[in-house]
């Protein structure tokens, strides 16, 4: 079946502009996660959704970052007034349920470049 | 100090060699994941384990809960195994905490 999909695959934007990144989880997966991988850095957690609510948004680096999920499916990560340090690969993952018994399946990522 | 430590950071091997990548963490976890990331590619989950040992093809993952340590082994390594291998742990929350990764290159 279809895996996790993300769009766009690449995004180049000017500093100060807003961007929206989209994630389509695997159908039926209730848990959805956003991660970020900066150049030369490891992966870091941003936010997690269970259904449409976000029990843990502790990883969002600033109030310029926000995310929402609608219909228990598609999620959008929005970055306002982008800065060069926002350049990274943004990864989405989904799992059937939250909790350590369930594997996370990763999307291909969106490579964001802020010029 | 990263909560999840991996070693080595970089690893080169000749085709056919047995490879071990190590991961240590600092406090009790509910699960540990091994992930694979090919250059320019996405991330694939290899294993998720909370105790004991799992095997899939030429890959073996073990975890020692008491010692807070896990190893990923690759038997009969092949150039297509060249990738970054990432250890990630889950505590009593749903977010993953990632190690910095081990870059493996297998030469023919």
């Amino acid at each position: 079946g279809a895996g996790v999909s993300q769009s766009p695959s690449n995004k180049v934007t000017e500093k100060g502009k807003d961007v929206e990144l989209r994630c389509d989880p695997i159908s039926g997966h209730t848990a959805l996660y956003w991660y970020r991988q900066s150049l030369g850095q490891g992966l870091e957690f941003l936010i997690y959704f269970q259904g449409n609510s976000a029990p843990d948004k502790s990883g969002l680096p600033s109030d310029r970052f926000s995310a929402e999920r609608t219909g228990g499916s598609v999620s959008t990560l929005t970055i306002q007034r982008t800065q060069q340090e926002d350049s990274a690969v943004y990864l989405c993952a989904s799992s059937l349920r939250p909790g350590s018994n369930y594997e996370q399946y990763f999307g291909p990522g969106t490579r964001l470049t802020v010029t | 100090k990263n909560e999840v430590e991996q070693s080595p950071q970089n690893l080169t091997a000749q085709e056919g060699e047995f490879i071990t990548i190590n991961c240590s963490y600092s406090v009790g976890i509910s699960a540990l994941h091994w992930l694979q990331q090919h250059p320019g590619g996405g991330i694939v989950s290899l294993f998720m384990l909370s105790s004991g040992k799992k095997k899939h093809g030429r890959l073996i993952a073990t975890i020692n809960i008491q010692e807070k340590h896990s190893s990923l082994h690759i038997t009969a390594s092949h150039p297509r195994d060249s990738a970054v291998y990432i250890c990630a742990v889950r505590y009593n929350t749903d977010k993953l905490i990632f190690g910095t990764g081990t870059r493996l290159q297998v030469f023919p």
Side-chain angles (χ1 to χ4, degrees):
Chain A
V4 178
S5 61
Q6 292 186 244
S7 60
S9 54
N10 282 283
K11 176 73 177 178
V12 180
T13 190
E14 291 181 353
K15 178 181 170 181
K17 295 283 179 66
D18 297 352
V19 295
E20 283 190 354
L21 311 179
R22 177 187 169 108
C23 171
D24 282 272
I26 293 172
S27 178
H29 280 198
T30 64
L32 185 149
Y33 308 81
W34 282 100
Y35 300 99
R36 177 170 77 170
Q37 187 173 35
S38 303
L39 185 62
Q41 303 292 316
L43 283 149
E44 58 177 335
F45 165 83
L46 297 178
I47 186 170
Y48 141 66
F49 287 92
Q50 168 54 22
N52 293 334
S53 63
D56 189 346
K57 44 180 89 169
S58 61
L60 294 177
S62 76
D63 58 9
R64 296 185 296 104
F65 287 72
S66 63
E68 66 174 13
R69 190 179 184 195
T70 55
S73 180
V74 172
S75 176
T76 303
L77 177 69
T78 301
I79 309 173
Q80 295 179 310
R81 305 181 303 282
T82 51
Q83 304 293 312
Q84 287 186 329
E85 63 262 26
D86 300 335
S87 295
V89 176
Y90 289 81
L91 291 150
C92 175
S94 72
S95 65
L96 184 61
R97 299 281 186 273
S100 57
N101 289 333
Y102 297 94
E103 193 163 341
Q104 293 187 21
Y105 297 86
F106 286 80
T110 293
R111 182 175 298 276
L112 174 68
T113 304
V114 181
T115 60
Chain B
K1 186 179 187 297
N2 198 341
E3 294 177 59
V4 182
E5 297 278 344
Q6 279 186 245
S7 64
Q9 287 188 326
N10 293 281
L11 183 57
T12 58
Q14 288 295 124
E15 183 173 356
E17 286 186 7
F18 180 84
I19 287 162
T20 297
I21 300 170
N22 297 298
C23 176
S24 298
Y25 50 92
S26 54
V27 296
I29 61 170
S30 59
L32 182 142
H33 299 246
W34 281 103
L35 310 170
Q36 180 192 56
Q37 185 173 35
H38 280 280
I43 292 175
V44 174
S45 178
L46 299 174
F47 294 102
M48 183 179 69
L49 65 167
S50 55
S51 65
K53 175 180 175 178
K54 286 191 176 181
K55 184 176 190 292
H56 184 248
R58 295 181 293 106
L59 302 179
I60 303 165
T62 64
I63 188 168
N64 185 317
I65 298 296
Q66 287 72 33
E67 294 188 2
K68 299 184 177 58
H69 179 269
S70 175
S71 293
L72 176 68
H73 305 286
I74 305 174
T75 62
S77 60
H78 191 276
R80 65 175 174 268
D81 296 328
S82 298
V84 175
Y85 292 84
I86 303 167
C87 171
V89 301
R90 180 182 280 185
Y91 298 112
N92 289 325
T93 66
D94 281 289
K95 66 183 182 185
L96 291 176
I97 308 296
F98 298 89
T100 52
T102 294
R103 184 174 301 277
L104 170 66
Q105 288 184 294
V106 182
F107 294 100

